[in-house]
Amino acid sequence: MKKIINRPDDVVRDMIEGMRLANQDIRVLPGTGVVVRKDAPVPGKVGVISGGGSGHEPAHGGFVGKGMLDAACAGDVFTSPSVDQMMKAIRAVDAGRGVLIIAKNYTGDNLNFDMAMELLEEEGIKTAKVKVHDDAAVEENADTTGRRGVAGTMLVQKVACACAEAGGSLEEVKEAAQSAADNVRTIGFALSPCIIPAVGKPGFSLGEEEMELGTGIHGEAGIRRMKVDTAHNLVEIMLEKLLADMPLEEGEEVCVLVNGMGSTPLMELYILYREVHMKLTGEGIRIAKAYVGEYMTSLEMAGASVSIMKLDERRKRFLLAPADTAGFKQF
Amino acid sequence: MDFCEILEKIAHHIEKNAEYLDELDAVMGDGEHGFNMKKCFNTVKLMLPEWREMSNVEILENAGMTLLTAGGGTASTLLGFFMRKAAGAAKKETVYDAKSIAGILNRALESTLERSQAKVGDKTLMDVLIPAVREFSEEAENGDIRAAAKAAARASAEGVKATGQMTAKRGRGFYVAERGLGTADPGAASLDIIIQTICGELFKEG
């Protein structure tokens, strides 16, 4: 393991401390790993929070700020935050109009958020939750937890938070988040694995010429192993899978997010985007907005994901609204 | 009945059994359940001096919150939640006898079931919690709290034993499936230690 850290057990604490020192628009609730917008609770605004295991930076702490999240809870690496962290985050951002939680669909995260919500109900704080499960690589199955929440979560957060910033009620913000979650799909791939600092070795291995399609953001198994192919062919395969799950009609408007997993050069992300752009526009799809960069990483995993969100007037307006955070700026 | 004393005893028994719990978890999950539970109850133990002056209900509430904070696993989180909900239900009671305690436990169980969604037979700590509360309640109908505690302790011991014969349908054990046959669920085992400690203290008081 080659990492620039102090002690494996301290990585999250040290990172959160670094985030706080580097960003004057946030504060950290002492001893919690909860990053909060400095001016929270923002009077008259519905609060929006998110959270999950660490290792996906800038998600979610890097998205705390004006136009985006009011707070984010950072758990240990790839581990759900505690109920206590979530309760503190919610209390810190509630301005009396309620708080929406945007959770990626993982058992631990959702169990803990649900408990936090139930316990805060006793304190009279109104909450609602929307689950994001955008990973088109995993089939929905009634017996299991269902699809994983991956990079598309950032787009859902953007839409919901803009709705909250515009003065939406808790019900309206929840509805905006839900419509965004219902209309976004993601598919990813990995070229090399990631190493959890406290574990010290990779969770899986890939051969020199091998890649895995559909890998999750914690290195969970994907759909299949294949030989590394050209960007052109890879995008063909990825979009076929994604569009089979969420068909697009000619003339439809979308947002595209090409997300790097941690150690994929921007050069390759732009090459991927070019292929996605040409393929979609070639089929008469209109791309209203594109994001290319690192938004939901998996430590040092090499690989990327492509997310597509279908837009209507409302989602488009919220998506394009300004935001000023360390990990996402738009003016 | 002094809750601080009971929590101290629980911390002691969990610490004594931490290695055994880790061994169970090495088969069922990632081998750190004993370590995690020890961490949780050691945190509780460190807080006890501050709780000495509190009522039992407040102690229960604080201990539950501590598990929700120090936790690091679903088992301790669910247990902390159960304790918090039990404390919430207890606040609404004026008398604490066998029947009202059964009511408190059942309300806390109901909320916990709703969250965990695990059933008897899924090989989780619910295989201990559900029968223990059920047997306690049945026996509590007769108004004898010691008999109720005895029934709960028996149900708890049988519950943890039964998990050894199960294939997990939920929780971490789900991923090892058949390979977990013959090994008890670590979360069920640690809860059993807690229940046996509480019930043991009850008998001692006479």
Side-chain angles (χ1 to χ4, degrees), chain A residues 82-84 87 111-112 114-115 118-119 122-123 144, chain B residues 65 68-69 74 77-78 81 84-85 111 115-116 174:
Chain A
S82 71
V83 176
D84 173 66
M87 289 172 73
L111 180 67
N112 287 3
D114 288 345
M115 289 184 193
E118 188 172 335
L119 293 172
E122 293 168 6
E123 293 178 20
T144 61
Chain B
M65 206 59 226
L68 289 174
T69 311
T74 310
T77 302
L78 279 170
F81 184 72
R84 273 289 311 247
K85 293 302 281 192
S111 302
R115 295 278 79 90
S116 101
F174 176 71

Side-chain angles (χ1 to χ4, degrees), chain B:
Chain B
M1 193 166 174
D2 175 5
F3 276 20
C4 278
E5 204 175 299
I6 292 183
L7 286 168
E8 198 161 354
K9 290 249 161 61
I10 291 174
H12 171 72
H13 287 291
I14 289 286
E15 176 147 19
K16 224 173 56 185
N17 287 286
E19 255 176 63
Y20 163 67
L21 294 171
D22 276 346
E23 280 164 26
L24 294 180
D25 196 32
V27 179
M28 300 304 302
D30 52 10
E32 57 174 30
H33 180 68
F35 174 83
N36 276 338
M37 292 303 279
K38 194 170 86 178
K39 193 176 84 179
C40 286
F41 279 98
N42 273 341
T43 312
V44 167
K45 209 164 91 178
L46 289 174
M47 298 298 294
L48 290 177
E50 286 179 40
W51 299 348
R52 295 262 175 230
E53 303 300 312
M54 292 181 182
S55 72
N56 277 343
V57 174
E58 286 170 318
I59 295 169
L60 183 64
E61 187 174 21
N62 277 294
M65 206 59 226
T66 306
L67 290 198
L68 289 174
T69 311
T74 310
S76 60
T77 302
L78 279 170
L79 191 58
F81 184 72
F82 178 84
M83 288 158 73
R84 273 289 311 247
K85 293 302 281 192
K91 278 184 190 164
K92 297 189 183 101
E93 300 287 342
T94 43
V95 208
Y96 300 114
D97 56 17
K99 270 189 195 169
S100 71
I101 291 173
I104 291 165
L105 294 175
N106 274 294
R107 264 170 284 161
L109 177 64
E110 215 170 283
S111 302
T112 311
L113 277 174
E114 206 178 297
R115 295 278 79 90
S116 101
Q117 298 188 351
K119 300 181 291 288
V120 167
D122 285 353
K123 194 163 183 161
T124 71
L125 85 166
M126 298 313 258
D127 283 303
V128 164
L129 190 59
I130 296 169
V133 172
R134 194 180 51 213
E135 293 299 315
F136 183 96
S137 310
E138 251 175 52
E139 204 54 52
E141 285 296 312
N142 305 320
D144 182 351
I145 191 162
R146 287 173 41 126
K150 205 168 203 169
R154 196 169 47 230
S156 166
E158 281 166 12
V160 71
K161 203 168 147 208
T163 62
Q165 307 309 312
M166 295 172 189
T167 313
K169 303 208 176 49
R170 283 191 178 270
R172 200 62 84 81
F174 176 71
Y175 301 104
V176 297
E178 273 82 25
R179 273 177 293 147
L181 268 175
T183 305
D185 179 68
S190 58
L191 179 57
D192 180 51
I193 293 168
I194 293 167
I195 291 176
Q196 300 304 337
T197 309
I198 298 171
C199 293
E201 286 300 298
L202 263 176
F203 299 136
K204 212 179 65 186
E205 279 181 19

